[in-house]
Amino acid sequence: MALLSTPLSVRLAAEDVAFLARLEIDGTVTASDKIRALIRQARERAEEAGSFAQALTISHDQVAPALRGLRMLEQEGGLHSEVAIGLLTIAEEYLALALAAPRPGEAKPAEALVAHEARLVDCATRMTGLLLRWGVTPTAPAYDKAVVTRHLHSLIDLMNLISTAHAAPAEA
């Protein structure tokens, strides 16, 4: 744990105090804990993510409130969507990949770019695979059972064009 040696006093507007009281940040209880967590989050966003693990922590902090809110509403409403939860989970990973992108000064920039691109495509492919699996039946595990199939038609058209292009004999 960091050494907490510098006291700091601030005056806040009433709406900021009310917001701080409602704010839920993992591992915080008191207003002081929450302010320290907010400063840590701001520092992490301002500094470049040095690793995927750091980037995943930042992306989790950004996406977790939405996931938590969705799950709470699902519990209250008696509904569940593998589609919504699954897509938000993939979005969290994709954001982490974006934050962990290679930066100027990489020792081997070409290799770093190729590897990063492969990780992005891998994540996007897994998301596409999820959508396709959910579209196998006309009723996806979603709040709106037809939400996936309504959007798959344009993807199917595109996949047919790709299949046709790959099946065409290569011209010399």
Side-chain angles (χ1 to χ4, degrees):
M1 181 171 166
L3 180 62
L4 305 176
S5 63
T6 307
L8 179 65
S9 175
V10 297
R11 294 188 186 279
L12 299 173
E15 62 265 15
D16 291 338
V17 172
F19 168 77
L20 199 56
R22 290 188 314 272
L23 184 63
E24 294 182 22
I25 301 176
D26 291 340
T28 64
V29 178
T30 67
S32 292
D33 291 339
K34 292 176 183 183
I35 290 169
R36 281 190 292 272
L38 289 170
I39 291 170
R40 177 189 53 79
Q41 289 175 356
R43 185 177 57 248
E44 288 172 349
R45 280 193 302 274
E47 297 170 350
E48 292 182 358
S51 69
F52 179 74
Q54 289 173 314
L56 191 57
T57 297
I58 295 167
S59 69
H60 175 76
D61 287 346
Q62 295 299 307
V63 177
L67 276 168
R68 180 180 167 86
L70 223 67
R71 287 183 171 128
M72 289 173 64
L73 280 173
E74 286 183 347
Q75 191 67 30
E76 289 174 19
L79 295 170
H80 178 70
S81 172
E82 288 179 30
V83 172
I85 299 296
L87 291 175
L88 283 175
T89 302
I90 291 278
E92 178 182 86
E93 180 182 353
Y94 210 83
L95 176 57
L97 287 169
L99 294 172
R103 304 282 194 261
E106 291 279 336
K108 298 178 181 177
E111 290 177 23
L113 289 169
V114 168
H116 183 68
E117 179 180 60
R119 287 189 292 272
L120 289 170
V121 170
D122 177 64
C123 188
T125 301
R126 282 186 283 113
M127 182 173 63
T128 303
L130 281 173
L131 285 169
L132 293 174
R133 278 191 290 285
W134 290 325
V136 169
T137 65
T139 57
Y143 310 127
D144 173 358
K145 302 298 181 197
V147 68
V148 175
T149 55
R150 276 197 311 274
H151 294 279
L152 274 184
H153 298 293
S154 59
L155 286 177
I156 290 169
D157 291 342
L158 185 56
M159 287 185 292
N160 287 334
L161 289 171
I162 292 169
S163 293
T164 302
H166 283 283
E171 295 182 28

